[in-house]
Amino acid sequence: MAEKPQPVRVLYCPVCSLPAEYCEFGPDFEKCKPWLIENAPKLYPDLIKEANEKEADKVSAQLQSVGISSAGVDGSASAVTPGGTSTSKQEVKRLPGGKIKKKDKQEVVIEKVVRNKRKCVTMVKGLDLFGIKLSDASKKLGKKFATGASVVKGPTEKEQIDVQGDISYDIVEFITETWPDVPDTAIYFIEDGRKVAAA
């Protein structure tokens, strides 16, 4: 007689309520990770490796933050600032994967895109880096050039202003007059895929 098949026991994640092997496709995989490491280590061996690396990074960061004063040749101790770090070092922001987040350069990039072989849209990116509210800027641009202007998310998920029509001829002068914080040297045009200084 053949053996009777046994039912499969499915392990469900209490965080996202999906089967454990489908957590990575769920709504919030980051919240599921601690539970998966503890209860389903065979399904995600990379998570254990990642957790060990994070733990090692924490320990090394703690060791670096502890200031140890070493005695000099004459017996005097060298001074260390509180927290163990020197004041000249700049604090670097790290992203979840351990990558260092670069600060965005303060520059305004103007790009003209031709649609349907005759209609133009002028895209203005980077005004928000100078502390300019994009909704106010789009209203001013629309009013000045008598055209439609709106704030949209660009391909890099950063907000930009799309202005209907080719206004690239007057926009540099308008930006520098309206917002004196934006220097001429920080404004660039995209021409043939290259960044060209406007000034």
Side-chain angles (χ1 to χ4, degrees), residues 33-106:
K33 283 182 180 180
W35 183 85
L36 288 170
I37 291 170
E38 192 176 313
N39 297 306
K42 291 180 183 175
L43 289 174
Y44 297 98
D46 294 340
L47 286 182
I48 296 170
K49 201 182 296 180
E50 186 180 307
N52 291 339
E53 287 173 6
K54 280 186 182 176
E55 193 64 37
D57 287 346
K58 278 185 189 176
V59 171
S60 67
Q62 286 175 349
L63 287 175
Q64 287 177 355
S65 69
V66 175
I68 301 172
S69 60
S70 58
V73 179
D74 57 349
S76 64
S78 63
V80 176
T81 59
T85 57
S86 64
T87 53
S88 63
K89 283 187 179 178
Q90 249 185 346
E91 198 169 306
V92 178
K93 191 170 182 180
R94 292 195 174 265
L95 296 172
K99 295 178 183 173
I100 297 171
K101 184 177 183 182
K102 293 180 182 176
K103 271 193 171 181
D104 290 332
K105 280 186 181 177
Q106 279 197 327

